[in-house]
């Protein structure tokens, strides 16, 4: 942090250290916690850029209250600067008194900076600036990324100090711009939930038949879904018999009669009790009825073993992306080939529907052709639909709110939520004529692509907003955000008047009595 590059400043500005600008800089203490007490302690989770989130405070055990002297009590306007942690280091907040508590302290992960000159909002804005934050990010080295912003680093941190009146103008301007930015962000944050509601309403309308009502009006003489289901069941049995016969012949044991056909297990029809009403010509089927008997629904790899750089790709629940269809292929782990061989039954050929059945229930994706030969984890069920059903039709059905709630309701809580294959086979699937199902999938793909496009635009707008905020802060500390006033008292005069000297502060991280005595002798 002391390595910040000092650039040329406007007339009347000067560089100073945080020690020059502060009356008190101290790391908090490590407390013995109590479930609740009268002495709350702010920790790094509490510290957010917009302020302190009181719901995350912890409490100091009463036996330690006396050891937390009054000098450690936080004051209105103190800057709380997170000093440890991979995700929160460098984040800072301006402390404002928390209702209901007379005293509040900070723990050892937070550095308290109490200014003696200038509004705290000015220093807080500098801490937020891209120059300071980039230096903190550069401190992340090593495999663990465990870094610490020590008290010495805080004290030495250089600050471009504007004249006091200009600091106030900068703060006022930043607050006005941030209020606009906050309103914009709130509007952007409201978009994803609205888009999800829109997505779910589209899916619900689809399986009520609303999306293709006009198609049915123009195509009245189509095969009813009940007849389609009969054909699917017959074809399912036929494919099973062909596969079994091929296996027996391959083993050199061709059958001499048809008794082996009795091994085929007819799928159970769906229990339609309580299911929504379907459009005319549609019908309900069970997952068991419409999925392959040759490649039946199954779980994946139970014990994947060690990661293997040249092994077989493994799809886990975390790899199923949030759009309901895609897989994050770049991040797939790989398992040893010998392990994959033990789970040939769940090997992918491309086009299968994958559904998460452990932990996060109901996340879906369609296996692309590029993953042929890959496998899935135990927490994922693989479904292969018999034609003319498609994985796309199944994916849209299972990602709707009706099925999401049903899957989660049916799941059983053991160590984690779990849905077994038997439960999945009993799940309902609506059927329409082949032509209408193809039309539904085409229209849904276009409609939901538009929802995804809007979501992408929203995220891009959020990135632009963040970029604009960083640019605004950089502009503020170059003296370009508000006009300078030659009548303002220069910053160096102001600092001298407040007893601050612009020197490099080289204060030890922890100075005991001996260190303090030496400094007193030097003074």
């Amino acid at each position: 942090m002391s390595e910040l590059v000092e650039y040329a400043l406007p007339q009347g500005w000067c560089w100073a250290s945080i020690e020059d600008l502060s009356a008190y800089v101290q790391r908090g203490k490590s407390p013995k916690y109590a479930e609740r007490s009268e002495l709350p302690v702010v920790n790094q989770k509490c510290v957010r850029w917009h302020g302190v989130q009181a719901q995350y405070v912890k409490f100091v055990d009463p036996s330690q209250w006396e050891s937390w002297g009054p000098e450690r009590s936080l004051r209105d306007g103190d800057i709380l600067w997170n000093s440890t942690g991979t995700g929160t280091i460098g984040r800072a907040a301006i402390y404002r008194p928390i209702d209901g508590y007379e005293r509040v302290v900070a723990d050892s992960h937070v550095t308290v900076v109490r200014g003696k000159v200038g509004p705290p909002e000015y220093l807080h804005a500098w801490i937020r600036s891209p120059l300071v934050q980039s230096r903190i990010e550069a401190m992340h080295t090593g495999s663990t990324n465990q870094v610490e912003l020590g008290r010495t680093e805080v004290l030495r941190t250089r600050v471009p100090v504007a004249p006091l009146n200009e600091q106030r103008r900068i703060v006022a301007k930043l607050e006005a711009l941030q209020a606009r930015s906050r309103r914009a962000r709130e509007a952007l944050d409201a978009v994803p939930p609205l888009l999800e509601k829109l997505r779910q309403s589209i899916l619900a309308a689809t399986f009520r038949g609303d999306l293709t009502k006009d198609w049915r009006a123009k195509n009245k003489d189509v095969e009813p879904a009940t007849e389609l289901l009969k054909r699917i069941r017959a074809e399912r049995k036929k494919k099973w018999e062909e596969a079994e016969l091929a296996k027996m012949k391959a083993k050199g044991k061709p059958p001499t009669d048809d008794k082996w056909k009795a091994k085929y297990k007819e799928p159970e029809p769906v229990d339609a009790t309580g299911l929504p009403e379907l459009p005319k010509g549609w019908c309900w089927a069970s997952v068991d009825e419409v999925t392959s008997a040759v490649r039946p629904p199954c779980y994946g790899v139970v014990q994947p073993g060690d990661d293997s750089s040249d092994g077989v790709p493994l799809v886990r629940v975390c790899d199923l992306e949030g759009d309901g269809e895609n897989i994050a292929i770049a991040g797939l782990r790989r398992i040893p080939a010998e392990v994959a061989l033990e789970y040939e039954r769940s090997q992918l050929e491309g086009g299968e529907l994958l559904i998460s059945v452990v932990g996060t229930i109901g996340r879906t994706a369609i296996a692309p052709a590029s993953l042929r030969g890959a496998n899935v984890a135990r927490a994922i069920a693989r479904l292969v639909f018999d034609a003319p059903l498609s994985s796309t039709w199944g994916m849209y059905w299972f990602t709707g709110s009706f099925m999401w709630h049903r899957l989660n309701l049916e799941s059983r809580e053991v160590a984690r939520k779990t849905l077994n294959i038997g439960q999945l086979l009993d799940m309902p699937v609506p059927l329409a004529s082949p032509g209408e199902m193809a039309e539904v999938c085409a229209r849904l793909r276009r409609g939901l692509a538009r929802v995804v496009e809007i979501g992408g635009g929203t995220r891009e707008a959020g990135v632009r907003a963040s970029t604009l905020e960083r640019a605004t802060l950089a502009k503020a500390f170059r003296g370009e955000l508000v006009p300078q006033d030659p009548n303002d008292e220069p910053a160096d005069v102001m600092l001298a008047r407040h007893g601050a000297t612009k020197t490099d502060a080289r204060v030890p991280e922890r100075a005991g009595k001996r260190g303090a005595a030496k400094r007193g002798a030097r003074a």
Side-chain angles (χ1 to χ4, degrees):
M1 289 295 297
S2 55
E3 298 174 13
L4 285 172
V5 177
E6 296 186 5
Y7 50 84
L9 296 174
Q11 186 72 27
W13 291 46
C14 70
W15 285 95
S17 68
I18 282 182
E19 185 187 27
D20 297 330
L21 305 173
S22 303
Y24 176 88
V25 177
Q26 186 62 54
R27 286 277 286 274
K29 289 179 62 178
S30 296
K32 176 183 177 183
Y33 288 118
E35 185 173 342
R36 192 170 182 86
S37 73
E38 294 182 8
L39 186 56
V41 54
V42 171
N43 54 77
Q44 61 202 64
K45 189 175 181 181
C46 301
V47 176
R48 307 298 170 97
W49 287 117
H50 60 273
V52 174
Q53 292 198 322
Q55 66 266 38
Y56 297 121
V57 299
K58 297 182 179 180
F59 297 90
V60 178
D61 188 277
S63 64
Q64 285 193 323
W65 285 357
E66 291 185 6
S67 66
W68 293 70
E71 73 280 357
R72 290 189 176 274
S73 298
L74 300 181
R75 300 182 188 177
D76 189 8
D78 283 350
I79 293 175
L80 309 182
W81 200 352
N82 279 352
S83 300
T84 62
T86 55
T88 63
I89 186 170
R91 197 162 62 193
I94 299 176
Y95 176 74
R96 300 302 180 195
I98 300 174
D99 290 342
Y101 299 108
E102 292 184 8
R103 282 188 66 201
V104 179
V105 295
D107 74 4
S108 59
H109 298 290
V110 178
T111 299
V112 181
V113 178
R114 184 170 301 147
K116 64 181 176 183
V117 55
E121 293 82 1
Y122 183 84
L123 180 55
H124 182 254
W126 174 241
I127 292 171
R128 282 171 44 221
S129 71
L131 188 56
V132 175
Q133 289 300 307
S134 65
R135 290 302 307 158
I136 293 174
E137 290 173 8
M139 293 167 63
H140 287 252
T141 58
S143 58
T144 62
N145 272 343
Q146 291 294 330
V147 297
E148 182 174 348
L149 183 60
R151 179 170 175 268
T152 301
E153 289 286 348
V154 171
L155 287 166
R156 291 177 179 175
T157 298
R158 307 294 285 173
V159 183
V161 184
L164 185 57
N165 286 335
E166 189 171 347
Q167 288 187 38
R168 292 169 179 151
R169 293 195 296 273
I170 289 171
V171 167
K173 183 68 173 180
L174 285 174
E175 288 179 346
L177 292 173
Q178 286 163 10
R180 292 172 58 185
S181 176
R182 186 164 51 250
R183 290 193 295 270
R185 284 189 173 279
E186 288 171 354
L188 290 172
D189 290 344
V191 172
L194 292 174
L195 287 177
E196 181 57 23
K197 286 183 179 179
L198 174 61
R199 181 174 176 271
Q200 289 299 333
S201 67
I202 293 172
L203 290 168
T206 296
F207 293 104
R208 288 196 307 265
D210 298 349
L211 190 65
T212 45
K213 187 176 182 179
D214 62 327
W215 187 93
R216 290 194 302 278
K218 296 176 183 177
N219 298 269
K220 296 181 179 179
D221 298 326
V222 296
E223 177 188 49
T226 50
E227 292 301 313
L228 171 63
L229 181 56
K230 290 178 184 178
R231 288 197 295 107
I232 289 175
R233 289 178 66 106
E235 188 67 20
R236 181 182 189 274
K237 183 177 181 180
K238 179 183 175 182
K239 288 181 178 179
W240 179 88
E241 290 176 349
E242 290 173 349
E244 287 298 305
L245 184 59
K247 287 178 186 177
M248 287 186 284
K249 287 182 177 179
K251 292 178 180 179
K253 298 178 180 179
T256 56
D257 53 41
D258 289 343
K259 291 181 180 179
W260 60 274
K261 293 183 179 181
K263 295 180 181 179
Y264 177 73
K265 185 180 179 181
E266 288 284 353
E268 291 292 329
V270 71
D271 179 4
T273 305
L275 294 178
E277 184 179 353
L278 293 174
K280 185 178 180 180
W282 292 34
C283 77
W284 289 107
S286 68
V287 168
D288 197 11
E289 289 178 288
V290 296
T291 51
S292 172
V294 179
R295 298 180 67 209
C298 65
Y299 305 123
V301 179
V302 178
Q303 294 181 330
D306 296 330
D307 222 347
S308 176
S309 59
D310 58 349
V312 175
L314 182 74
V315 180
R316 299 160 296 171
V317 174
C318 61
D319 302 315
L320 307 184
E321 295 188 326
D323 58 8
E325 184 172 1
N326 296 312
I327 297 171
I329 294 177
L332 296 183
R333 67 166 294 188
R334 291 175 176 269
I335 60 174
E338 57 271 21
V339 173
L341 282 174
E342 297 177 21
Y343 296 91
E344 285 186 285
R345 72 179 189 280
S346 54
Q347 191 177 72
L348 300 178
E349 294 183 3
E352 299 91 344
L353 177 64
L354 310 181
I355 302 178
S356 60
V357 292
V358 178
T360 304
I361 303 292
R363 192 177 289 184
T364 64
I366 296 175
S370 61
L371 284 184
R372 183 181 181 87
N375 218 308
V376 296
R378 161 64 180 85
I380 291 177
R382 184 214 62 195
L383 303 184
V384 179
F385 290 99
D386 279 325
L389 252 70
S390 68
S391 291
T392 302
W393 174 269
M395 182 266 298
Y396 286 140
W397 170 242
F398 276 102
T399 53
S401 58
F402 175 81
M403 281 307 296
W404 186 89
H405 286 295
R406 187 171 181 124
L407 291 172
N408 279 271
L409 185 64
E410 292 287 332
S411 63
R412 298 166 184 173
E413 191 82 38
V414 188
R416 293 181 293 171
K417 279 188 174 183
T418 302
L419 192 74
N420 64 43
I421 290 295
Q423 292 171 299
L424 197 58
L425 291 175
D426 291 337
M427 291 293 167
V429 179
L431 294 185
S433 68
E436 187 169 2
M437 287 193 290
E439 185 67 18
V440 162
C441 290
R443 293 188 183 188
L444 268 178
R445 190 174 293 279
R446 291 193 297 269
L448 296 181
R450 179 58 181 151
V451 173
V452 172
E453 182 183 343
I454 294 171
T458 302
R459 288 190 294 273
E460 186 179 336
V463 171
R464 288 200 301 269
S466 296
T467 301
L468 180 60
E469 288 175 9
R470 291 193 295 270
T472 300
L473 286 167
K475 191 174 182 179
F477 292 102
R478 291 196 303 267
E480 300 171 0
L481 189 63
V482 298
Q484 274 86 47
D485 186 342
N487 296 316
D488 286 342
E489 180 184 49
D492 57 352
V493 176
M494 172 192 65
L495 291 175
R497 185 165 51 82
H498 283 84
T501 56
K502 304 187 299 304
T503 58
D504 279 333
R506 304 200 177 274
V507 179
E509 181 66 18
R510 289 184 175 85
K513 294 180 180 179
R514 184 177 179 183
K518 285 185 177 180
R519 288 201 303 275
R522 286 198 298 268

